Amino acid sequence: MPRLLQINVTANQGSHGRIAEDIGLLAMSRGWDSFIAYGRGRPRSSSQLIRIGSKADMYAHGAESRLLDNHGLASRGATRRLARIIEEIAPDIVHLHNIHGYYVNYPILFDCLRRLGVPVVWTFHDCWPFTGHCANFMAIGCEKWRTGCGSCPRLSAYPASLFADRSAANFQLKKEVFTSLGSRLAIVAVSKFQQRYISDSFLGSCDIRQIYNGVDTAVFRPVCEKDTEPRMVLGVANVWNRDKGLDDMIALSEMLPGDMRVVLAGLSPSQLRRLPAGVTGIAHTEGVAELARLYSRATVFVNPTWEDNFPTTNIEALACGTPVITYRTGGSPEAVDAATGMVVPRGDLAALAGAVKEIASCSTEALGEQCRARALALYDKKERYTEYIALYEDLFGTL
């Protein structure tokens, strides 16, 4: 039977790790063997797991990255060991997800993939593959990635560099390495917006597909009644910061009437301690069932992100019957239409508050049903990830 190997920083943890897990499950149901190589955590998986390196390797990679701005160029021994395992597995398809995250050396990995000679699918969950440093640049409107990076204005952003600026050299090396697979590389963009950006990058001549992320609509579904006193205005993020809209959500709380309360889930302990009295904070939820309950209770989900490709939180909220308000940022607006949410200019707090009040004033059972219907039609994970299996089979059939 054909063999699938996926590589991601996590396995069955976090949004991208769960995507890899779900794709593996679907592949196995179609008769594939499934392997997932990962860099951190202690996951459980239905696929066969391969740990890349150790915690010490990850810390050493992080230190090099911070001192030398060479993210993705450390973890040499760990990646050589991975290359030997890949050759032993002899996969028929290799599917890359996030290959950044302090765990793999991308030139060594791509050298292995060239020798292997098999088709490679690469899902871009952010913009790191075609920049000289950062994973996202939308918040500051940087355009250097189009022609060549250098004098990077985001050195302090992930993956942070404390001193060095290798962005020009990193850009050229990525261009050389990531275009080396030729026609055997198929890139998947998770939004139409991101697809346009990839097409404008040095990867524009590659085979570029577009497949939306999906969610488990059997888990993310309306599970309880919505809060009424006060009505919940919900924000959810894995990591809250200014670029995710934390400051804007706090400012929004001061612009809403007394019968509405902003609730933020996913805050760190220090952020919880600093929250103003008008905002309810929740640490990371214990699991998806608790998260689905939060979405279901909310009158509206607000995502004031300043940079994003296609936030999974938007479609999780829709699946739970909750309308979405988002900034006109990246691929975030693609999740909603006029019947299921609103899109406002980035940073326009008055428009954001007005949209919350407008949706709250017309919140009905029918609105929730429309949100749920959109999620079922467009973002059910079984439908979306079937597109990956079809892509695998198409590429596998060309061997």
Side-chain angles (χ1 to χ4, degrees), residues 12-318:
N12 205 18
Q13 294 176 341
S15 58
H16 308 146
R18 289 196 296 270
I19 288 169
E21 176 70 13
D22 289 338
I23 291 172
L25 284 168
L26 188 56
M28 287 186 286
S29 74
R30 302 294 182 90
W32 289 64
D33 278 340
S34 176
F35 300 81
I36 299 176
Y38 69 100
R40 67 179 63 176
R42 296 181 176 180
R44 294 182 178 180
S45 174
S46 297
S47 295
Q48 299 177 60
L49 292 178
I50 303 161
R51 173 67 190 263
I52 303 171
S54 64
K55 187 177 290 188
D57 292 323
M58 183 182 67
Y59 286 138
H61 195 144
E64 277 200 42
S65 182
R66 285 181 174 273
L67 293 173
L68 304 176
D69 192 24
N70 67 343
H71 190 76
L73 300 177
S75 297
R76 300 165 190 85
T79 309
R80 290 190 185 99
R81 289 190 291 273
L82 171 66
R84 290 193 290 270
I85 294 171
I86 293 174
E87 290 170 356
E88 292 172 4
I89 293 172
D92 298 287
I93 298 285
V94 174
H95 186 165
L96 307 178
H97 293 275
N98 275 355
I99 63 168
H100 58 82
Y102 310 106
Y103 77 107
V104 75
N105 181 295
Y106 67 81
I108 295 173
L109 174 62
F110 269 70
D111 182 62
C112 170
L113 297 178
R114 281 194 301 275
R115 295 196 311 270
L116 202 62
V118 301
V120 176
V121 175
W122 192 358
T123 299
F124 282 17
H125 298 288
D126 53 40
C127 302
W128 181 85
F130 56 88
T131 75
H133 177 83
C134 65
N136 276 301
F137 43 76
M138 302 168 202
I140 63 170
C142 182
E143 296 285 311
K144 292 185 177 185
W145 58 274
R146 294 183 183 275
T147 55
C149 292
S151 300
C152 179
R154 298 211 76 186
L155 283 180
S156 61
Y158 169 85
S161 174
L162 299 176
F163 308 108
D165 181 353
R166 271 184 47 93
S167 58
N170 288 339
F171 181 91
Q172 292 301 323
L173 181 60
K174 286 182 179 180
K175 182 177 181 179
E176 176 186 342
V177 172
F178 295 157
T179 58
S180 65
L181 299 182
S183 61
R184 290 191 291 107
L185 174 63
I187 296 173
V188 175
V190 297
S191 65
K192 292 181 173 63
F193 170 87
Q194 189 190 45
Q195 185 177 27
R196 292 193 294 270
Y197 266 33
I198 299 170
S199 297
D200 289 343
S201 76
F202 60 72
L203 294 165
S205 61
C206 294
D207 178 5
I208 305 171
R209 316 286 181 101
Q210 194 273 310
I211 299 175
Y212 283 123
N213 292 335
V215 297
D216 188 342
T217 55
V219 173
F220 289 101
R221 59 185 177 85
V223 294
C224 60
E225 298 296 322
K226 296 193 175 297
D227 289 1
T228 56
E229 295 182 3
R231 291 172 290 177
M232 184 193 299
V233 178
L234 178 65
V236 175
N238 186 48
V239 177
W240 278 105
N241 53 34
R242 181 193 178 280
D243 290 342
K244 283 296 184 182
L246 177 58
D247 295 348
D248 292 5
M249 289 297 287
I250 291 173
L252 174 66
S253 71
E254 300 172 355
M255 304 170 69
L256 298 177
D259 65 340
M260 294 183 184
R261 186 169 184 84
V262 169
V263 175
L264 301 180
L267 294 168
S268 69
S270 63
Q271 288 171 332
L272 287 170
R273 289 192 295 269
R274 295 196 305 266
L275 276 185
V279 179
T280 298
I282 300 173
H284 287 285
T285 54
E286 293 300 321
V288 292
E290 182 184 351
L291 189 54
R293 186 172 180 83
L294 272 176
Y295 286 127
S296 299
R297 289 170 50 198
T299 298
V300 60
F301 176 74
V302 178
N303 189 356
T305 179
W306 283 71
E307 52 184 19
D308 234 314
N309 292 298
F310 188 72
T312 305
T313 51
N314 289 358
I315 56 179
E316 289 173 345
L318 290 176

